[in-house]
Each structure stands twice: as C-alpha cells, then as structure tokens.
C-alpha cells in the first residue's frame, strides 16, 4: 500500500500530519503506481493539492472551531502573473487542539500544534505543454504526557487518580517535534494521441523527541 502526493510517493507520517488546500483525495484498490515510479500492489491513496488557475485572481479562507480548544485556519490566494500562461498559488495552515489532559506539576494542558505553507507555480507556455512545481513546509510540536492512573505519587496528595480525571504527573518535558519539506514537479506534454509525463519528488522529514521516561514521577 502506497501514498502519493501530487503523483510522487511519500511516507504515511508526512501525508497525514497536516493537509491544506487539497483538491482531491483518491482511494484506489488493486495494483497501482505503474506510471508513478513506485508500485503499490495492494492499492493506494493519492493526495492532489489544488492547482493554480491562470485565468483569474481567487482566494479562500476556512476557519474551524471545535471542542478541546480546536482551532484550524486555512487560507489560500491565487494570482495569475501572465494570464492563461503563468500563475502562482500560495496557501497556509495553522492548527491547534488539546486532548483534555492537564499536568499537575506544570499546570499546562496537552496540545497538538501545527503550521505550514505551500507555494505552487503553474506554467503553460503552449496548449500542449505544462509545468507544475509545488513546494510545501510543515512544522508541528506536540506536548503529550501520558495519563496518571492510581496513587500514591511522590509529592502529591489527594484521592486516587483515574482515567476520567485526565491528569498527568510527569515532572520533566514530554514533547515531540516534526519538520517536513515536500517538493513535486509534474511535466506533461500532449503529443496528440500520446502524452509524455514526468513525475519528480523530494521529501525531507526530521523528528525529535524530548521525553521524561519517569511518567509516574517515582524518582
């Protein structure tokens, strides 16, 4: 099973970490990937970002609020630099949510926060030839100390903690960081009865963890 981003294969962790301004998501059964450079015998998921539009200026803002302090903001603007030939689309994302767990030592909640931006350039010098270049960068950080269940815990007093209390007692940090870069280049040349295509991609991802393994604060 393989995941493709603008027809180029990428890892699942980067594909679903944060998505902004998508044009479509396809779930395909059976063998896939014949034209994508990496086969996928069991099926695939394809993510396609929204393409620039060379015909006119356009924009979009989507704001979502939800429980657990959820805030998701997505915005995009499309500008044709040369009408019907060259256009640029810029999109951005900010996402924040909590899971209801609070740390009794730090007084801070668990949260998941992400932000990112993408720039897409579409160049169509002729009716039969086009170049689509997309570059995206995403950063996320997550504070997620695990729940503390039962008691006693050193330095704490009070009733036994249960799952429903949604409390953590980790004294040190419990944080996860991710930074990813995705680039794709798609070239298509229509030769009448045939089409010549080029699909290229670049993926770079870095993950770091800062974690206190004494989650019950025994030491």
């Amino acid at each position: 099973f393989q995941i493709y981003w603008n027809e180029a294969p990428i890892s699942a962790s980067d594909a679903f970490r944060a998505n902004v301004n998508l044009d479509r998501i396809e779930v395909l059964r059976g063998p896939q990937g014949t034209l994508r450079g990496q086969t996928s015998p069991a099926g695939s998921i394809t993510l396609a970002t929204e393409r620039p539009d060379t015909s006119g200026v356009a924009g979009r803002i989507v704001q979502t609020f939800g429980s657990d302090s959820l805030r998701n903001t997505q915005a995009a603007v499309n500008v044709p630099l040369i009408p019907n030939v060259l256009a640029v689309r810029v999109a951005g994302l900010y996402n924040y949510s909590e899971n209801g767990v609070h740390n009794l030592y730090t007084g801070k909640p668990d949260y998941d926060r992400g932000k990112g931006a993408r720039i897409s350039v579409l160049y169509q010098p002729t009716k039969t030839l086009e170049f689509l270049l997309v570059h995206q960068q995403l950063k996320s950080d997550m504070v997620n100390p695990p729940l503390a269940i039962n008691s006693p815990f050193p330095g704490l007093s009070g009733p036994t903690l249960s799952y429903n209390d949604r409390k953590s007692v980790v004294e040190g940090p419990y944080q996860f960081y991710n930074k990813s870069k995705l680039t794709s280049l798609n070239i298509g040349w229509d030769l009448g009865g045939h089409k010549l295509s080029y699909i290229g991609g670049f993926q770079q991802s870095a993950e770091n963890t800062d974690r206190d393994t004494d989650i019950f604060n025994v030491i």
Side-chain angles (χ1 to χ4, degrees):
F1 195 86
Q2 181 62 51
I3 302 171
Y4 302 97
W5 185 79
N6 289 337
E7 301 300 314
I10 64 170
S11 66
S13 60
D14 284 330
F16 301 114
R17 189 171 301 278
N19 287 300
V20 54
N21 203 215
L22 289 179
D23 178 57
R24 66 185 185 276
I25 300 176
E26 300 175 337
V27 180
L28 308 175
R29 295 190 302 174
Q32 300 290 333
T34 303
L35 303 178
R36 300 185 177 102
Q38 184 168 322
T39 59
S40 182
S44 66
I45 296 177
T46 66
L47 308 176
T49 61
E50 193 158 347
R51 293 161 52 97
D53 185 356
T54 60
S55 62
V57 177
R60 179 188 302 167
I61 297 178
V62 179
Q63 179 66 59
T64 303
F65 296 98
S67 58
D68 294 325
S69 301
L70 171 65
R71 301 191 299 274
N72 183 283
T73 304
Q74 299 190 32
V77 60
N78 181 91
V79 179
L81 303 180
I82 303 176
N84 301 315
V85 176
L86 178 65
V88 175
R89 186 178 188 89
V90 179
L93 163 74
Y94 178 80
N95 183 77
Y96 178 88
S97 63
E98 299 176 2
N99 65 6
V101 177
H102 284 73
N103 191 306
L104 293 177
Y105 275 98
T106 65
K108 297 181 179 180
D110 289 14
Y111 68 82
D112 190 350
R113 176 174 56 195
K115 56 184 178 180
R118 179 194 306 135
I119 182 170
S120 307
V121 180
L122 177 63
Y123 178 48
Q124 297 174 319
T126 69
K127 293 183 179 181
T128 60
L129 180 63
E130 72 170 27
F131 301 81
L132 177 60
L133 177 64
V134 181
H135 178 71
Q136 172 179 291
Q137 292 193 35
L138 293 172
K139 294 176 64 178
S140 65
D141 65 288
M142 180 172 61
V143 174
N144 190 29
L147 290 174
I149 301 174
N150 213 329
S151 66
F153 300 103
L156 294 179
S157 60
T160 298
L161 294 175
S162 69
Y163 175 85
N164 293 327
D165 291 320
R166 310 291 289 172
K167 301 298 182 184
S168 173
V169 297
V170 176
E171 190 175 17
Y174 214 93
Q175 207 156 359
F176 306 86
Y177 309 89
N178 177 273
K179 183 176 182 180
S180 65
K181 298 179 181 180
L182 297 174
T183 303
S184 67
L185 175 61
N186 299 76
I187 303 174
W189 187 15
D190 191 346
L191 302 174
H194 302 277
K195 183 177 181 180
L196 182 63
S197 298
Y198 169 82
I199 300 170
F202 172 79
Q203 174 184 350
Q204 184 181 55
S205 181
E207 297 188 5
N208 297 287
T209 301
D210 189 8
R211 178 166 51 187
D212 182 355
T213 57
D214 182 18
I215 62 175
F216 291 108
N217 200 18
V218 175
I219 301 176

